Amino acid sequence: MNSLRKYSLAAGVFYLLTFVSIPTLALYRPVRGSDFIVGPGPDTPVIVGVLLEMIVALAGIGTAVALYPVVKRQGEARAVGFIASRILEAATIYVGIVSLMSIVTLRQAGAGSGALAVGQGLAAQYQWTFFFAQSFIPAVNGVLLGSLLYQSRLVPRWLPVLAFIGAVLLVATWFAILVGVIKAISPVAAAAAVPIAVWEFSLGIYLTFRGFRASPILASVYSSRE
């Protein structure tokens, strides 16, 4: 297996790993409740969700690092920007999970009803962190990486086109939620997130099982290693 195939395989596997957090919507339902702190728990679903999101945060950085040696040949500034965007996304994910684990800690310490307001504030902090991170930054990621892959033709062009469509829909919906036109949890918001999710999942599948297509920038990668 040559180095280029290793890059594409690593990036593809990392992209697929970013989907392990799908169950967190259900796992976090109890901890986001207004009376979780004074209740009996449970804590295990929250801890499982936190571990899954940690995997997502690290895998997200992995996608950018694995692709950087190749896509930088098309545009180094955008390739660096993609890494920076992924790091920012990972950092905000960690902020969110720290908020949830703080609620669990308060419950386990027996903080009682006096900490209800604090727990609700931490839950709100998680929701806003998710809104400004995982609901928006994927659009930035899609534009940065999509433009690199579209120009380089490393993957079929319909894939980055899907990224552009998904980014536009995601940003438009994000602003609509921000100004109160639609709710964050609604059929419209869910439907708008589908294209960007399909783009990332399809890219993960393609890179894992097919690898990069023939492209002029690959010749420069090979020549630089001779």
Side-chain angles (χ1 to χ4, degrees):
M1 184 182 293
N2 61 47
S3 59
L4 290 173
R5 183 67 186 105
K6 290 178 181 178
Y7 292 145
S8 66
L9 179 59
V13 171
F14 281 133
Y15 257 111
L16 295 180
L17 279 175
T18 62
F19 284 85
V20 301
S21 67
I22 291 176
T24 56
L25 185 62
L27 293 172
Y28 288 161
R29 187 175 293 113
V31 75
R32 294 203 305 266
S34 59
D35 58 349
F36 179 82
I37 285 181
V38 297
D43 298 334
T44 301
V46 184
I47 295 172
V48 171
V50 164
L51 292 175
L52 292 178
E53 287 210 282
M54 288 177 63
I55 293 173
V56 170
L58 297 176
I61 296 174
T63 62
V65 173
L67 288 171
Y68 176 77
V70 179
V71 298
K72 71 175 182 179
R73 303 284 173 166
Q74 184 62 51
E76 188 168 6
R78 281 173 292 167
V80 172
F82 182 49
I83 291 179
S85 180
R86 279 302 205 183
I87 292 174
L88 175 60
E89 184 179 14
T92 52
I93 289 174
Y94 268 77
V95 170
I97 63 179
V98 166
S99 299
L100 295 184
M101 287 305 299
S102 297
I103 298 174
V104 172
T105 300
L106 288 172
R107 192 202 66 76
Q108 292 177 341
S113 58
L116 279 173
V118 176
Q120 292 167 3
L122 289 169
Q125 178 174 289
Y126 171 80
Q127 292 173 353
W128 280 108
T129 302
F130 184 92
F131 179 70
F132 283 102
Q134 290 155 282
S135 294
F136 181 82
I137 298 180
V140 178
N141 296 335
V143 171
L144 289 172
L145 182 58
S147 64
L148 289 167
L149 295 179
Y150 184 87
Q151 291 179 322
S152 64
R153 298 178 181 269
L154 288 168
V155 299
R157 278 193 158 181
W158 65 267
L159 274 172
V161 167
L162 185 59
F164 300 146
I165 295 172
V168 171
L169 288 175
L170 200 63
V171 171
T173 306
W174 186 87
F175 276 107
I177 294 171
L178 184 64
V179 300
V181 176
I182 61 175
K183 293 183 178 181
I185 301 178
S186 65
V188 174
V194 169
I196 203 76
V198 172
W199 136 254
E200 293 189 348
F201 186 77
S202 300
L203 181 62
I205 292 292
Y206 189 89
L207 292 177
T208 299
F209 296 101
R210 293 292 298 274
F212 299 122
R213 300 177 72 183
S215 169
I217 71 168
L218 297 186
S220 64
V221 175
Y222 280 123
S223 63
S224 68
R225 296 178 179 275
E226 292 177 354

